[in-house]
Amino acid sequence: MSKNLPVASRAANIRGLLEKSRKQLEMALPKHLTADRMLRVAMTSIQKTPKLMECTPQSLLACVMTCAQLGLEPDQFLGQAYLVPYGKICTLIPGYRGYIALARRSGELQTLSAQVVYSNDEFTLQYGVDDILVHKPALNGRGDPIGAYCVFKYKDGAYSFDWMSKDDIEKIRKRSQAANNGPWVTDWDEMAKKTVIKRHAKLAPLSVEFQRAVALEERAMSGETQDDLLTMDDPNVIDADPADAAATDHATLIAAFDVSIPKDADPEMIEAFLVAVASGNKKTVEQVKIEAAGNPADLESLWVLFPGWCKQQAAKNGKATAKKNKERPVAIGAKAPEEYAPGPCPDKPDMTPLKSYCDACEKRPGCPTWG
């Protein structure tokens, strides 16, 4: 249970941060996307890659906001864009289908396509006065990939194409800090297509958005910061009053803490536990919730300690009850009959005392109850 609680807390925190930026997302998104869809796709992608939830909230928000501006959905299955964690920093890497979408929106291209060529395909390539590219994929058993090509067809009827061998593509891959994880491992074909598109796009009259996407990926591959290309310090992104933002953050953290509470826990025990923790740390219960939810390690430790605290309370209550029973007469039925005196107490006829109570009583010698 304890291993899952920090994840749930971080997910709730991230969801709250993205929700707080809904208006800015709506302003940034193109007409074909809605804020609801972008938020849903982003959260799904983040939760499918647990390491993303360890990234700083600011870098996650910046990448999602930039996806909104580019009109790309950060979903690994759609292949338009990928959110990739590098340590504590979320990095945006545009995908093959993302480049195609941006190229088509540029208004300069009629179509853009790319294919991976395999060893058993029929493939002819010729450069010169008359460039020739012919590709007939094998219907079965295509073999191993040998390279990839792209074809740009422009609105004026002209076209151009480019080819990269597998060796050329692998050289690009090896320069990437994500060479052994992320889409290079899960979607090699898509990355190969994207690589050849990126190279050929440098010669094509494409949009600023397309070139920005290329620059983002170049930074990611080289390990350089994307900060100046991401929407991070734009005043339109977070324009709330600092006091309002703090209040919203606190409400989000408290909500995240409430989500993390073990489902089978007794609410009264939870309340008593939090009061005890708050008292011991000279804080309010609200402060305990906010600080714990803001630090996954603290939250995990808190719930790891909770079962032990409950056992301690049960033991204390048991000792207190036993002591109380020894100090005063107890009504019939409270304990097993053999623990009781043979009859009512002369001083309290409506109560039958415990034997231990009578043993400690000064009036025991000559007591009529004991004959």
Side-chain angles (χ1 to χ4, degrees):
M1 176 183 68
S2 61
K3 291 182 179 179
N4 295 327
L5 291 174
V7 175
S9 173
R10 289 195 292 270
N13 290 345
I14 294 166
R15 185 178 289 106
L17 181 65
L18 293 178
E19 283 289 348
K20 189 175 70 173
S21 305
R22 176 182 287 270
K23 290 184 179 179
Q24 287 71 34
L25 280 170
E26 290 174 346
M27 294 171 60
L29 285 166
K31 293 181 180 180
H32 72 279
L33 277 176
T34 65
D36 283 339
R37 179 171 178 81
M38 178 59 75
L39 289 171
R40 184 171 62 254
V41 169
M43 276 309 304
T44 299
S45 182
I46 290 168
Q47 289 176 304
K48 285 181 178 178
T49 307
K51 286 187 177 180
L52 280 171
M53 285 187 277
E54 298 176 8
C55 292
T56 63
Q58 293 80 3
S59 66
L60 279 168
L61 177 60
C63 287
V64 173
M65 192 66 67
T66 303
C67 282
Q69 290 185 333
L70 294 175
L72 303 179
E73 297 183 38
D75 186 320
Q76 63 185 30
F77 297 107
L78 293 176
Q80 290 191 349
Y82 300 87
L83 301 179
V84 180
Y86 291 132
K88 299 294 182 181
I89 302 299
C90 177
T91 302
L92 174 60
I93 299 182
Y96 156 65
R97 290 184 175 85
Y99 281 120
I100 290 180
L102 290 172
R104 287 175 175 169
R105 285 188 227 140
S106 70
E108 300 294 334
L109 292 181
Q110 182 178 349
T111 62
L112 185 161
S113 63
Q115 298 291 336
V116 172
V117 180
Y118 292 84
S119 56
N120 294 336
D121 293 350
E122 185 179 328
F123 182 66
T124 301
L125 175 69
Q126 177 180 305
Y127 288 119
V129 176
D130 296 316
D131 294 344
I132 297 175
L133 188 152
V134 178
H135 180 205
K136 295 182 180 180
L139 299 180
N140 295 296
R142 296 183 65 186
D144 298 324
I146 60 173
Y149 67 89
C150 66
V151 179
F152 286 22
K153 292 185 178 179
Y154 303 95
K155 285 193 171 182
D156 62 2
Y159 72 89
S160 61
F161 65 81
D162 200 355
W163 155 263
M164 291 182 70
S165 68
K166 183 178 179 180
D167 287 343
D168 291 337
I169 294 169
E170 283 296 305
K171 288 177 183 178
I172 300 295
R173 173 184 178 173
K174 289 176 182 178
R175 293 205 298 267
S176 170
Q177 64 172 342
N180 299 314
N181 58 68
W184 270 119
V185 175
T186 60
D187 302 279
W188 189 92
D189 283 16
E190 301 297 290
M191 293 296 286
K193 294 175 188 177
K194 182 177 65 173
T195 300
V196 70
I197 288 174
K198 280 172 49 186
R199 187 173 80 169
H200 195 58
K202 295 175 181 178
L203 304 176
L206 297 179
S207 65
V208 173
E209 287 77 12
F210 189 100
Q211 301 301 339
R212 183 183 180 191
V214 171
L216 282 166
E217 184 169 8
E218 295 291 346
R219 296 284 184 85
M221 289 175 60
S222 63
E224 297 179 38
T225 179
Q226 294 180 326
D227 288 359
D228 58 321
L229 298 173
L230 294 172
T231 305
M232 297 182 71
D233 298 322
D234 188 336
N236 293 321
V237 174
I238 299 178
D239 55 2
D241 181 83
D244 292 340
T248 302
D249 286 343
H250 288 176
T252 300
L253 289 170
I254 290 173
F257 182 91
D258 291 341
V259 168
S260 77
I261 294 175
K263 293 181 181 179
D264 56 348
D266 183 342
E268 292 184 2
M269 293 299 289
I270 290 290
E271 183 177 357
F273 176 61
L274 293 176
V275 169
V277 172
S279 176
N281 290 276
K282 297 182 180 181
K283 299 179 184 295
T284 65
V285 170
E286 184 178 89
Q287 287 174 326
V288 169
K289 288 184 175 182
I290 291 170
E291 292 179 11
N295 188 325
D298 288 350
L299 188 62
E300 182 174 8
S301 297
L302 193 69
W303 294 130
V304 167
L305 294 172
F306 177 63
W309 181 86
C310 289
K311 290 180 180 179
Q312 289 178 352
Q313 296 309 301
K316 287 180 181 179
N317 291 338
K319 290 179 181 179
T321 300
K323 182 179 180 182
K324 190 175 182 181
N325 287 338
K326 290 179 181 179
E327 292 175 348
R328 65 174 177 77
V330 180
I332 295 174
K335 286 204 173 185
E338 61 268 17
E339 296 183 28
Y340 286 89
C345 177
D347 293 338
K348 296 184 178 181
D350 59 332
M351 304 291 286
T352 297
L354 289 167
K355 291 178 181 179
S356 58
Y357 175 81
C358 292
D359 291 341
C361 180
E362 296 178 354
K363 299 179 180 180
R364 170 66 190 273
C367 177
T369 297
W370 290 92

